[in-house]
């Protein structure tokens, strides 16, 4: 596997190209930490951008949903697709309104998705979806029945045309503005898990699993 993804005309960053990243380590880390992706495509001349869950297995990105879903049915026909994810790391507060910004990590993946028909690959993808959200969960839950598998479609998108874009650091003001009596800096932002809330119908003897009690989203990508 090449450690870098080849830059293409479609993935080349034209504005602030120094923020662009094409190494797989950066791209995969962002994908593995994010929970929701947005899938962009055109159906019957109408553009759509649909938020959905996803998972990565090696060099492939998988999305899934109801077999009756318009998104899944359209994408399985081999149309062009753009998948994006974004992680918000901080609000960048400058001395001027113009230079306010956001610290973030984002990825776009372009290509054409294919319907997964192999039963074993489909099962691996469904396990990956579950483990992507909460590592350790697949071993505890009831696995999908044949009927549930038939009602679910899984699509695979090779990560062959992709790029990441990352902004870090403090605000960058005009030189004359650094003397202004205005607070400037970064307000860090992150996804934090709250206290687990048990289902009202949970069997009383069932305890909260360790992977739920100590859930830390930022550690997910580091563990993969």
């Amino acid at each position: 596997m090449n450690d870098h993804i080849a830059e293409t005309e479609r993935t080349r960053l034209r504005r602030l190209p120094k923020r662009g990243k094409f190494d797989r380590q950066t791209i995969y880390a962002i994908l593995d930490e994010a929970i929701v992706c947005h899938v962009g495509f055109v159906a019957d001349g109408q553009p759509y951008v649909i938020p959905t869950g996803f998972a990565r297995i090696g060099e492939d990105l998988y999305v899934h949903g109801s077999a009756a879903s318009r998104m899944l049915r359209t994408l399985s026909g081999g149309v062009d697709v753009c998948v994006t994810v974004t992680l918000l790391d901080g609000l960048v507060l400058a001395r001027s309104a113009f230079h306010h910004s956001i610290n973030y990590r984002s990825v776009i993946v372009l290509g054409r998705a294919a319907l997964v028909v192999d039963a074993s690959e489909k099962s691996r993808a469904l396990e990956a979806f579950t483990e992507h959200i909460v590592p350790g969960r697949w071993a505890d839950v009831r696995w999908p029945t044949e009927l549930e598998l038939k009602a679910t479609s899984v699509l695979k998108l090779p990560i062959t045309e992709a790029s990441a874009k990352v902004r870090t650091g403090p605000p960058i003001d005009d030189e004359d503005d650094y003397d202004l009596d205005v607070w400037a800096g970064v307000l860090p932002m992150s996804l934090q898990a709250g206290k687990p809330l048990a289902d009202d119908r949970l069997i009383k003897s069932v305890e909260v699993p360790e992977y739920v009690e100590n859930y830390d989203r930022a550690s997910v990508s580091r563990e993969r």
Side-chain angles (χ1 to χ4, degrees), residues 92-129:
V92 182
L93 309 180
R95 294 160 182 82
S96 69
F98 181 78
H99 287 298
H100 278 60
S101 188
I102 294 173
N103 281 344
Y104 65 92
R105 289 164 289 152
S106 66
V107 165
I108 66 166
V109 182
L110 302 173
R112 294 188 175 185
L115 185 67
V116 174
V117 295
D118 180 76
S120 60
E121 183 181 6
K122 188 174 184 180
S123 180
R124 289 195 304 272
L126 295 175
E127 178 180 355
F129 293 134

Side-chain angles (χ1 to χ4, degrees), residues 35 42 44 46 52 62 74 80 160 212 222:
I35 295 177
V42 175
D44 299 325
Q46 170 64 49
T52 188
Y62 291 83
T74 301
D80 289 330
T160 55
V212 174
R222 294 195 295 268

Side-chain angles (χ1 to χ4, degrees), residues 26-218:
T26 298
I27 291 171
Y28 289 175
I30 296 171
L31 291 173
D32 292 345
E33 185 176 341
I35 295 177
V36 175
C37 72
H38 287 80
V39 181
F41 60 98
V42 175
D44 299 325
Q46 170 64 49
Y48 295 93
V49 178
I50 307 295
T52 188
F54 71 99
R56 179 183 69 85
I57 302 178
E59 300 177 49
D60 297 308
L61 201 65
Y62 291 83
V63 297
H64 77 300
S66 168
S69 161
R70 172 172 53 192
M71 180 183 77
L72 274 294
R73 285 188 287 107
T74 301
L75 297 185
S76 63
V79 303
D80 289 330
V81 61
C82 175
V83 177
T84 67
V85 304
T86 303
L87 298 172
L88 175 61
D89 294 325
L91 305 180
V92 182
L93 309 180
R95 294 160 182 82
S96 69
F98 181 78
H99 287 298
H100 278 60
S101 188
I102 294 173
N103 281 344
Y104 65 92
R105 289 164 289 152
S106 66
V107 165
I108 66 166
V109 182
L110 302 173
R112 294 188 175 185
L115 185 67
V116 174
V117 295
D118 180 76
S120 60
E121 183 181 6
K122 188 174 184 180
S123 180
R124 289 195 304 272
L126 295 175
E127 178 180 355
F129 293 134
T130 305
E131 291 294 295
H132 176 72
I133 298 172
V134 183
R137 187 63 176 170
W138 186 254
D140 283 352
V141 299
R142 175 182 66 75
W143 296 352
T145 65
E146 287 298 322
L147 185 61
E148 290 170 337
L149 288 173
K150 289 180 180 179
T152 304
S153 288
V154 174
L155 296 178
K156 177 171 69 174
L157 176 64
I159 308 174
T160 55
E161 188 175 9
S163 66
K165 191 174 182 182
V166 178
R167 192 215 188 271
T168 61
I172 302 174
D173 274 300
D174 293 337
E175 195 60 38
D176 292 344
D177 288 339
Y178 281 96
D179 292 329
L180 293 176
D181 188 18
V182 177
W183 188 90
V186 175
L187 182 61
M189 306 287 284
S190 63
L191 181 65
Q192 299 291 330
K195 181 178 177 58
L197 303 175
D199 179 36
D200 290 341
R201 298 184 61 178
L202 183 71
I203 298 172
K204 299 303 182 184
S205 61
V206 177
E207 297 182 353
V208 180
E210 184 276 335
Y211 58 76
V212 174
E213 188 72 51
N214 299 313
Y215 188 86
D216 177 15
R217 190 64 204 170

